[in-house]
Amino acid sequence: MALVLHILACIFGTGAWVAINGLWVELPLIVNDLPEGWYLPSYLTIIIQLANIGPLVVTLMHKFKPGWLNEIATIYTIIVLGIVASFLLAFFWRETTWVGGELHSTGFLVLTFFLSLVDCTSSVTFLPFMMKLETQYLTSYFVGEGLSGFIPGLLSLIQGVGIVTCVNVTQSDNGTQTISRSSYGADQLETQYLPANYSVQVFLFLLCAMMAFCLVAFYSLTRISSKQLLLQSSTTLFHSSSTINSTNPPGTPPGTLELTESKQGDTSAPTMDNPLRTECNTQEISYGQYALIYFLTAWVNALTNGVLPSVQTYSCMPYGNLAYHLSAAVGSMANPLACLIAMFLPCQSLLALVLLSVIGTGFGTYNMVSAVQSPCPVLQGSDWGVALIVMSWLLFIGSLSYVKVMIGLILRSQSHSALLWCGAVVQLGSMIGALVMFPLVNIYGFFQSADLCNSQCIG
């Protein structure tokens, strides 16, 4: 039964961000067919930030109208909305409409907003639900959340997203281009994308199937005996946390009084069956420690969800197509790998997590420097350059993903409300990172793209 619960928690976690992660890895194919072209990623970034209205509403309802939202019904609504939106997107992603005198892919943009609403709101609904499960299943949930990026990335590699070839193009006198190896005319190499192994529509149907599996997993989790799984019997979203918080004096850290009460009736105290509950996470967390934890949460998610993903192409593509695909593949594998390491080697020392965050930030800095130096970063054209950039992305995502998991486990041991605010801070950090990078990439043109087939570097 324990293995089944781990699998269900993992599948449930994959539904958290699988839709948006899938769209990001599919963009190299989608942009070739939609009128926005390569401006589409900037539109997607803005849409995701607008979708933060979902977690904002849930958080405000928790604060001012506790008990109004039914937890189970809310999560069911979110998952079903994701299934319907991804299914419709498979049919209408190419639909366009004239808006303000310009042609826009309204079908893709509108349905993407609903998918973003699902994924953003999952941060403040899925995690609090996992509070009802034993700590070990929360780790499995984080593994699944990591797989929500790994599986779409793997599917895109199988599909052949972004695979390019260099074609010798002859520019004729009348301005037309022909593929030729003739010595007449002006010859140049042109980057062309190879056809995908399967269509965008098939890829979107696969995303829809993953959301359907998430629904089945959630249904199964809610039907399993409460004696084996649930730590509390409330079915109302944030019910227990709001009841306790109503008696908290102003300035009390979230969950401080909840922890005091839970010591009387909480059956999840440290036991041999729950090895992840160590002495460090059964103690009350001070206000300063809460501030540090939430700062780390915002910082780590700003880097991993907003800042560095915006420049990954600039960071990797100058080293070649192989470097880009390897960094994307091993980067997506780093997240679930870090979750597995956290399951067997947990470390909940705040000092250690701070140091690990600094180390991860160092690798992120190297990635950013290579993006700033695009199209001519250091060690370009060298195998060492390829190895370093791939390893740097692996360690950057892996180290900060480990920090995310450990923060989740620490806050899970404190209170239901602490996990809620963790989800809100995750979205806040991600939003800040994206908003900072948007003007740098899309307005001011701070980063320059590299042509894989025509070197722009001298020496």
Side-chain angles (χ1 to χ4, degrees):
M1 178 61 68
L3 178 60
V4 172
L5 295 179
H6 279 294
I7 295 175
L8 291 175
C10 183
I11 296 175
F12 177 55
T14 59
W17 283 94
V18 67
I20 294 303
N21 287 333
L23 291 182
W24 273 114
V25 301
E26 192 70 1
L27 279 182
L29 283 183
I30 294 177
V31 295
N32 295 327
D33 294 316
L34 297 185
E36 289 83 4
W38 282 105
Y39 288 103
L40 193 60
S42 61
Y43 281 90
L44 187 57
T45 302
I46 294 300
I47 287 174
I48 293 174
Q49 302 316 314
L50 292 176
N52 279 307
I53 186 67
L56 177 62
V57 169
V58 172
T59 303
L60 291 178
M61 290 290 289
H62 160 64
K63 180 67 175 179
F64 299 107
K65 296 292 184 180
W68 274 35
L69 291 179
N70 181 281
E71 179 179 44
I72 303 300
T74 301
I75 296 179
Y76 270 128
T77 302
I78 291 172
I79 300 176
V80 171
L81 178 61
I83 294 173
V84 173
S86 57
F87 182 79
L88 293 177
L89 189 63
F91 292 100
F92 299 107
W93 70 276
R94 282 180 172 171
E95 295 298 318
T96 57
T97 306
W98 289 94
V99 179
E102 295 183 357
L103 193 63
H104 287 284
S105 50
T106 50
F108 178 84
L109 296 177
V110 170
L111 291 172
T112 296
F113 170 78
F114 286 107
L115 290 178
S116 301
L117 189 66
V118 169
D119 289 2
C120 291
T121 310
S122 71
S123 295
V124 294
T125 53
F126 285 18
L127 270 179
F129 171 78
M130 293 303 298
M131 176 65 179
K132 294 184 175 183
L133 317 185
E134 294 180 4
T135 308
Q136 54 186 332
Y137 302 119
L138 180 62
T139 306
S140 298
Y141 169 84
F142 280 120
V143 173
E145 195 172 83
L147 291 176
S148 70
F150 171 74
I151 295 177
L154 183 61
L155 292 175
S156 71
L157 291 178
I158 297 173
Q159 185 184 21
V161 172
I163 302 299
V164 299
T165 183
C166 297
V167 178
N168 192 23
V169 176
T170 299
Q171 185 75 32
S172 62
D173 294 336
N174 61 7
T176 60
Q177 289 185 343
T178 58
I179 299 176
S180 172
R181 295 187 183 277
S182 171
S183 59
Y184 299 99
D187 292 344
Q188 63 178 3
L189 291 177
E190 183 178 88
T191 303
Q192 295 185 358
Y193 287 92
L194 296 178
N197 294 323
Y198 54 86
S199 67
V200 173
Q201 186 179 52
V202 173
F203 183 88
L204 294 175
F205 277 133
L206 292 175
L207 294 184
C208 181
M210 293 183 65
M211 290 298 300
F213 282 126
C214 174
L215 178 63
V216 173
F218 178 67
Y219 174 82
S220 301
L221 286 174
T222 58
R223 289 299 180 269
I224 292 177
S225 172
S226 60
K227 294 182 180 179
Q228 297 175 333
L229 187 64
L230 301 181
L231 299 180
Q232 54 187 5
S233 60
S234 173
T235 60
T236 304
L237 185 60
F238 320 127
H239 176 74
S240 61
S241 60
S242 60
T243 301
I244 303 301
N245 281 337
S246 62
T247 61
N248 282 6
T252 302
T256 301
L257 295 185
E258 290 179 320
L259 179 63
T260 304
E261 176 170 319
S262 66
K263 289 177 181 178
Q264 300 174 2
D266 191 354
T267 59
S268 59
T271 64
M272 294 300 294
D273 296 330
N274 196 355
L276 293 183
R277 280 190 175 273
T278 57
E279 181 180 355
C280 64
N281 67 359
T282 58
Q283 300 175 351
E284 290 187 4
I285 294 180
S286 67
Y287 183 83
Q289 288 173 321
Y290 267 110
L292 175 60
I293 288 173
Y294 286 133
F295 171 77
L296 285 180
T297 301
W299 175 258
V300 166
N301 283 278
L303 293 182
T304 57
N305 299 338
V307 177
L308 271 302
S310 302
V311 298
Q312 185 171 15
T313 303
Y314 300 98
S315 176
C316 302
M317 286 297 283
Y319 293 99
N321 193 59
L322 177 63
Y324 174 73
H325 281 278
L326 285 178
S327 63
V330 301
S332 60
M333 288 187 290
N335 194 308
L337 179 61
C339 294
L340 288 175
I341 294 175
M343 180 181 296
F344 296 101
L345 296 174
C347 175
Q348 300 188 27
S349 165
L350 284 181
L351 177 59
L353 294 181
V354 169
L355 292 177
L356 195 57
S357 299
V358 172
I359 293 173
T361 302
F363 289 116
T365 301
Y366 179 82
N367 300 336
M368 178 61 72
V369 169
S370 67
V372 171
Q373 293 178 340
S374 176
C376 304
V378 294
L379 298 177
Q380 186 188 40
S382 167
D383 291 339
W384 283 105
V386 174
L388 283 176
I389 195 64
V390 171
M391 187 61 65
S392 180
W393 274 95
L394 170 66
L395 296 176
F396 162 70
I397 297 177
S399 58
L400 296 189
S401 295
Y402 182 89
V403 173
K404 289 182 189 179
V405 176
M406 287 299 102
I407 288 177
L409 292 179
I410 292 174
L411 294 179
R412 183 251 176 267
S413 70
Q414 296 303 304
S415 74
H416 195 270
S417 179
L419 272 183
L420 167 72
W421 287 107
C422 177
V425 173
V426 165
Q427 292 306 118
L428 177 63
S430 302
M431 179 182 67
I432 292 175
L435 293 180
V436 167
M437 295 306 299
F438 179 80
L440 296 179
V441 175
N442 299 280
I443 299 178
Y444 299 109
F446 192 75
F447 301 91
Q448 299 181 15
S449 59
D451 191 332
L452 295 180
C453 298
N454 298 283
S455 176
Q456 300 168 262
C457 305
I458 301 177

